[in-house]
PDB file of all heavy atoms in Angstrom:
ATOM      1  N   LEU A 144      30.630  94.385 144.979  1.00 94.00           N
ATOM      2  CA  LEU A 144      31.200  94.053 146.301  1.00 94.00           C
ATOM      3  C   LEU A 144      30.633  95.084 147.280  1.00 94.00           C
ATOM      4  O   LEU A 144      31.038  96.262 147.257  1.00 94.00           O
ATOM      5  CB  LEU A 144      32.683  94.063 146.304  1.00 94.00           C
ATOM      6  CG  LEU A 144      33.348  93.199 145.228  1.00 94.00           C
ATOM      7  CD1 LEU A 144      34.866  93.171 145.383  1.00 94.00           C
ATOM      8  CD2 LEU A 144      32.839  91.732 145.252  1.00 94.00           C
ATOM      9  N   GLY A 145      29.713  94.635 148.113  1.00 87.00           N
ATOM     10  CA  GLY A 145      28.897  95.591 148.885  1.00 87.00           C
ATOM     11  C   GLY A 145      29.538  96.282 150.037  1.00 87.00           C
ATOM     12  O   GLY A 145      28.879  96.442 151.112  1.00 87.00           O
ATOM     13  N   THR A 146      30.787  96.658 149.997  1.00 86.00           N
ATOM     14  CA  THR A 146      31.391  97.353 151.102  1.00 86.00           C
ATOM     15  C   THR A 146      30.666  98.628 151.359  1.00 86.00           C
ATOM     16  O   THR A 146      30.421  99.438 150.490  1.00 86.00           O
ATOM     17  CB  THR A 146      32.906  97.661 150.794  1.00 86.00           C
ATOM     18  OG1 THR A 146      33.000  98.354 149.534  1.00 86.00           O
ATOM     19  CG2 THR A 146      33.720  96.392 150.693  1.00 86.00           C
ATOM     20  N   GLY A 147      30.325  98.867 152.614  1.00 83.00           N
ATOM     21  CA  GLY A 147      29.677 100.070 152.961  1.00 83.00           C
ATOM     22  C   GLY A 147      28.184 100.173 152.688  1.00 83.00           C
ATOM     23  O   GLY A 147      27.542 101.195 152.960  1.00 83.00           O
ATOM     24  N   MET A 148      27.655  99.114 152.119  1.00 85.00           N
ATOM     25  CA  MET A 148      26.177  99.134 151.810  1.00 85.00           C
ATOM     26  C   MET A 148      25.322  99.270 153.094  1.00 85.00           C
ATOM     27  O   MET A 148      24.304  99.966 153.063  1.00 85.00           O
ATOM     28  CB  MET A 148      25.756  97.908 151.066  1.00 85.00           C
ATOM     29  CG  MET A 148      26.044  97.993 149.544  1.00 85.00           C
ATOM     30  SD  MET A 148      25.329  96.614 148.647  1.00 85.00           S
ATOM     31  CE  MET A 148      25.458  97.214 146.974  1.00 85.00           C
ATOM     32  N   ASP A 149      25.706  98.572 154.172  1.00 86.00           N
ATOM     33  CA  ASP A 149      24.889  98.639 155.305  1.00 86.00           C
ATOM     34  C   ASP A 149      25.234  99.769 156.249  1.00 86.00           C
ATOM     35  O   ASP A 149      24.371 100.316 157.030  1.00 86.00           O
ATOM     36  CB  ASP A 149      25.028  97.294 156.135  1.00 86.00           C
ATOM     37  CG  ASP A 149      26.451  96.983 156.465  1.00 86.00           C
ATOM     38  OD1 ASP A 149      27.382  97.616 155.871  1.00 86.00           O
ATOM     39  OD2 ASP A 149      26.688  96.098 157.316  1.00 86.00           O
ATOM     40  N   THR A 150      26.474 100.295 156.130  1.00 87.00           N
ATOM     41  CA  THR A 150      26.836 101.447 157.024  1.00 87.00           C
ATOM     42  C   THR A 150      27.041 102.744 156.319  1.00 87.00           C
ATOM     43  O   THR A 150      27.162 103.779 156.992  1.00 87.00           O
ATOM     44  CB  THR A 150      28.169 101.088 157.705  1.00 87.00           C
ATOM     45  OG1 THR A 150      29.157 100.737 156.754  1.00 87.00           O
ATOM     46  CG2 THR A 150      28.055  99.860 158.624  1.00 87.00           C
ATOM     47  N   GLN A 151      27.029 102.712 154.983  1.00 87.00           N
ATOM     48  CA  GLN A 151      27.166 103.955 154.217  1.00 87.00           C
ATOM     49  C   GLN A 151      28.413 104.732 154.531  1.00 87.00           C
ATOM     50  O   GLN A 151      28.428 105.984 154.517  1.00 87.00           O
ATOM     51  CB  GLN A 151      25.918 104.776 154.353  1.00 87.00           C
ATOM     52  CG  GLN A 151      24.687 104.049 153.789  1.00 87.00           C
ATOM     53  CD  GLN A 151      23.505 104.990 153.606  1.00 87.00           C
ATOM     54  OE1 GLN A 151      23.597 106.207 153.759  1.00 87.00           O
ATOM     55  NE2 GLN A 151      22.427 104.482 153.156  1.00 87.00           N
ATOM     56  N   ASP A 152      29.507 104.035 154.875  1.00 87.00           N
ATOM     57  CA  ASP A 152      30.684 104.781 155.255  1.00 87.00           C
ATOM     58  C   ASP A 152      31.657 104.871 154.094  1.00 87.00           C
ATOM     59  O   ASP A 152      32.663 105.664 154.171  1.00 87.00           O
ATOM     60  CB  ASP A 152      31.366 104.049 156.455  1.00 87.00           C
ATOM     61  CG  ASP A 152      31.841 102.633 156.092  1.00 87.00           C
ATOM     62  OD1 ASP A 152      30.924 101.843 155.718  1.00 87.00           O
ATOM     63  OD2 ASP A 152      33.052 102.378 156.157  1.00 87.00           O
ATOM     64  N   THR A 153      31.478 104.067 153.062  1.00 89.00           N
ATOM     65  CA  THR A 153      32.459 104.017 151.983  1.00 89.00           C
ATOM     66  C   THR A 153      31.755 103.607 150.698  1.00 89.00           C
ATOM     67  O   THR A 153      30.680 103.130 150.712  1.00 89.00           O
ATOM     68  CB  THR A 153      33.627 103.016 152.297  1.00 89.00           C
ATOM     69  OG1 THR A 153      34.640 103.197 151.331  1.00 89.00           O
ATOM     70  CG2 THR A 153      33.088 101.599 152.365  1.00 89.00           C
ATOM     71  N   SER A 154      32.447 103.829 149.593  1.00 89.00           N
ATOM     72  CA  SER A 154      31.825 103.537 148.289  1.00 89.00           C
ATOM     73  C   SER A 154      31.930 101.997 148.016  1.00 89.00           C
ATOM     74  O   SER A 154      32.969 101.475 148.318  1.00 89.00           O
ATOM     75  CB  SER A 154      32.543 104.321 147.213  1.00 89.00           C
ATOM     76  OG  SER A 154      32.054 103.907 145.924  1.00 89.00           O
ATOM     77  N   PRO A 155      30.941 101.399 147.462  1.00 91.00           N
ATOM     78  CA  PRO A 155      31.012  99.981 147.092  1.00 91.00           C
ATOM     79  C   PRO A 155      32.199  99.791 146.071  1.00 91.00           C
ATOM     80  O   PRO A 155      32.479 100.669 145.314  1.00 91.00           O
ATOM     81  CB  PRO A 155      29.654  99.611 146.521  1.00 91.00           C
ATOM     82  CG  PRO A 155      28.717 100.696 147.017  1.00 91.00           C
ATOM     83  CD  PRO A 155      29.556 101.966 147.204  1.00 91.00           C
ATOM     84  N   SER A 156      32.714  98.577 146.049  1.00 96.00           N
ATOM     85  CA  SER A 156      33.697  98.212 145.041  1.00 96.00           C
ATOM     86  C   SER A 156      32.974  97.374 143.951  1.00 96.00           C
ATOM     87  O   SER A 156      31.872  96.805 144.160  1.00 96.00           O
ATOM     88  CB  SER A 156      34.856  97.418 145.687  1.00 96.00           C
ATOM     89  OG  SER A 156      35.481  98.251 146.610  1.00 96.00           O
ATOM     90  N   VAL A 157      33.615  97.251 142.794  1.00 97.00           N
ATOM     91  CA  VAL A 157      33.156  96.447 141.691  1.00 97.00           C
ATOM     92  C   VAL A 157      34.246  95.578 141.251  1.00 97.00           C
ATOM     93  O   VAL A 157      35.351  95.993 141.054  1.00 97.00           O
ATOM     94  CB  VAL A 157      32.642  97.369 140.527  1.00 97.00           C
ATOM     95  CG1 VAL A 157      32.148  96.507 139.420  1.00 97.00           C
ATOM     96  CG2 VAL A 157      31.524  98.272 140.982  1.00 97.00           C
ATOM     97  N   LEU A 158      33.920  94.299 141.087  1.00 97.00           N
ATOM     98  CA  LEU A 158      34.852  93.250 140.639  1.00 97.00           C
ATOM     99  C   LEU A 158      34.572  92.898 139.200  1.00 97.00           C
ATOM    100  O   LEU A 158      33.459  92.587 138.888  1.00 97.00           O
ATOM    101  CB  LEU A 158      34.843  92.018 141.497  1.00 97.00           C
ATOM    102  CG  LEU A 158      35.587  90.772 141.057  1.00 97.00           C
ATOM    103  CD1 LEU A 158      37.122  91.065 141.125  1.00 97.00           C
ATOM    104  CD2 LEU A 158      35.197  89.561 141.830  1.00 97.00           C
ATOM    105  N   LEU A 159      35.600  92.982 138.381  1.00 97.00           N
ATOM    106  CA  LEU A 159      35.501  92.544 136.977  1.00 97.00           C
ATOM    107  C   LEU A 159      36.275  91.228 136.901  1.00 97.00           C
ATOM    108  O   LEU A 159      37.529  91.218 137.061  1.00 97.00           O
ATOM    109  CB  LEU A 159      36.057  93.553 135.980  1.00 97.00           C
ATOM    110  CG  LEU A 159      36.140  93.152 134.472  1.00 97.00           C
ATOM    111  CD1 LEU A 159      34.745  92.794 133.986  1.00 97.00           C
ATOM    112  CD2 LEU A 159      36.748  94.270 133.688  1.00 97.00           C
ATOM    113  N   PHE A 160      35.612  90.174 136.701  1.00 95.00           N
ATOM    114  CA  PHE A 160      36.195  88.814 136.775  1.00 95.00           C
ATOM    115  C   PHE A 160      36.449  88.197 135.413  1.00 95.00           C
ATOM    116  O   PHE A 160      35.527  88.151 134.600  1.00 95.00           O
ATOM    117  CB  PHE A 160      35.289  87.937 137.620  1.00 95.00           C
ATOM    118  CG  PHE A 160      35.739  86.500 137.845  1.00 95.00           C
ATOM    119  CD1 PHE A 160      36.402  86.130 138.956  1.00 95.00           C
ATOM    120  CD2 PHE A 160      35.493  85.538 136.878  1.00 95.00           C
ATOM    121  CE1 PHE A 160      36.833  84.820 139.158  1.00 95.00           C
ATOM    122  CE2 PHE A 160      35.915  84.233 137.013  1.00 95.00           C
ATOM    123  CZ  PHE A 160      36.619  83.852 138.199  1.00 95.00           C
ATOM    124  N   PHE A 161      37.666  87.696 135.190  1.00 92.00           N
ATOM    125  CA  PHE A 161      37.969  86.854 134.076  1.00 92.00           C
ATOM    126  C   PHE A 161      38.622  85.523 134.556  1.00 92.00           C
ATOM    127  O   PHE A 161      38.977  85.446 135.691  1.00 92.00           O
ATOM    128  CB  PHE A 161      38.977  87.537 133.095  1.00 92.00           C
ATOM    129  CG  PHE A 161      38.358  88.715 132.393  1.00 92.00           C
ATOM    130  CD1 PHE A 161      38.469  89.994 132.950  1.00 92.00           C
ATOM    131  CD2 PHE A 161      37.649  88.584 131.184  1.00 92.00           C
ATOM    132  CE1 PHE A 161      37.972  91.093 132.252  1.00 92.00           C
ATOM    133  CE2 PHE A 161      37.132  89.638 130.523  1.00 92.00           C
ATOM    134  CZ  PHE A 161      37.287  90.929 131.070  1.00 92.00           C
ATOM    135  N   ASP A 162      38.740  84.612 133.684  1.00 87.00           N
ATOM    136  CA  ASP A 162      39.344  83.305 134.041  1.00 87.00           C
ATOM    137  C   ASP A 162      40.738  83.500 134.663  1.00 87.00           C
ATOM    138  O   ASP A 162      41.058  82.878 135.646  1.00 87.00           O
ATOM    139  CB  ASP A 162      39.439  82.412 132.876  1.00 87.00           C
ATOM    140  CG  ASP A 162      38.071  81.894 132.360  1.00 87.00           C
ATOM    141  OD1 ASP A 162      37.164  81.913 133.178  1.00 87.00           O
ATOM    142  OD2 ASP A 162      37.985  81.588 131.216  1.00 87.00           O
ATOM    143  N   LYS A 163      41.530  84.373 133.994  1.00 86.00           N
ATOM    144  CA  LYS A 163      42.917  84.493 134.433  1.00 86.00           C
ATOM    145  C   LYS A 163      43.294  85.931 134.934  1.00 86.00           C
ATOM    146  O   LYS A 163      44.438  86.192 135.289  1.00 86.00           O
ATOM    147  CB  LYS A 163      43.811  84.204 133.203  1.00 86.00           C
ATOM    148  CG  LYS A 163      43.716  82.780 132.625  1.00 86.00           C
ATOM    149  CD  LYS A 163      44.105  81.752 133.662  1.00 86.00           C
ATOM    150  CE  LYS A 163      44.090  80.375 133.037  1.00 86.00           C
ATOM    151  NZ  LYS A 163      44.544  79.300 133.990  1.00 86.00           N
ATOM    152  N   GLN A 164      42.321  86.776 135.069  1.00 89.00           N
ATOM    153  CA  GLN A 164      42.526  88.135 135.524  1.00 89.00           C
ATOM    154  C   GLN A 164      41.419  88.603 136.386  1.00 89.00           C
ATOM    155  O   GLN A 164      40.267  88.196 136.260  1.00 89.00           O
ATOM    156  CB  GLN A 164      42.681  89.101 134.291  1.00 89.00           C
ATOM    157  CG  GLN A 164      44.057  89.089 133.665  1.00 89.00           C
ATOM    158  CD  GLN A 164      44.084  90.187 132.599  1.00 89.00           C
ATOM    159  OE1 GLN A 164      43.283  90.271 131.664  1.00 89.00           O
ATOM    160  NE2 GLN A 164      45.130  91.059 132.658  1.00 89.00           N
ATOM    161  N   ARG A 165      41.755  89.561 137.359  1.00 93.00           N
ATOM    162  CA  ARG A 165      40.823  90.150 138.213  1.00 93.00           C
ATOM    163  C   ARG A 165      41.070  91.661 138.244  1.00 93.00           C
ATOM    164  O   ARG A 165      42.198  92.072 138.385  1.00 93.00           O
ATOM    165  CB  ARG A 165      40.824  89.564 139.623  1.00 93.00           C
ATOM    166  CG  ARG A 165      40.896  88.109 139.747  1.00 93.00           C
ATOM    167  CD  ARG A 165      39.521  87.459 139.499  1.00 93.00           C
ATOM    168  NE  ARG A 165      39.555  86.036 139.910  1.00 93.00           N
ATOM    169  CZ  ARG A 165      39.988  85.044 139.161  1.00 93.00           C
ATOM    170  NH1 ARG A 165      40.468  85.311 137.926  1.00 93.00           N
ATOM    171  NH2 ARG A 165      39.917  83.821 139.613  1.00 93.00           N
ATOM    172  N   PHE A 166      40.035  92.429 138.174  1.00 96.00           N
ATOM    173  CA  PHE A 166      40.097  93.891 138.233  1.00 96.00           C
ATOM    174  C   PHE A 166      39.143  94.367 139.319  1.00 96.00           C
ATOM    175  O   PHE A 166      38.000  93.943 139.344  1.00 96.00           O
ATOM    176  CB  PHE A 166      39.777  94.629 136.955  1.00 96.00           C
ATOM    177  CG  PHE A 166      40.609  94.109 135.729  1.00 96.00           C
ATOM    178  CD1 PHE A 166      40.162  92.991 135.011  1.00 96.00           C
ATOM    179  CD2 PHE A 166      41.770  94.733 135.441  1.00 96.00           C
ATOM    180  CE1 PHE A 166      40.900  92.537 133.918  1.00 96.00           C
ATOM    181  CE2 PHE A 166      42.478  94.278 134.273  1.00 96.00           C
ATOM    182  CZ  PHE A 166      42.081  93.177 133.581  1.00 96.00           C
TER     183      PHE A 166
END
Side-chain angles (χ1 to χ4, degrees):
L144 307 183
T146 53
M148 277 188 167
D149 55 345
T150 54
Q151 299 196 0
D152 64 300
T153 188
S154 175
S156 299
V157 178
L158 171 68
L159 177 58
F160 179 96
F161 292 92
D162 292 335
K163 300 294 184 179
Q164 279 185 307
R165 312 285 191 277
F166 305 88

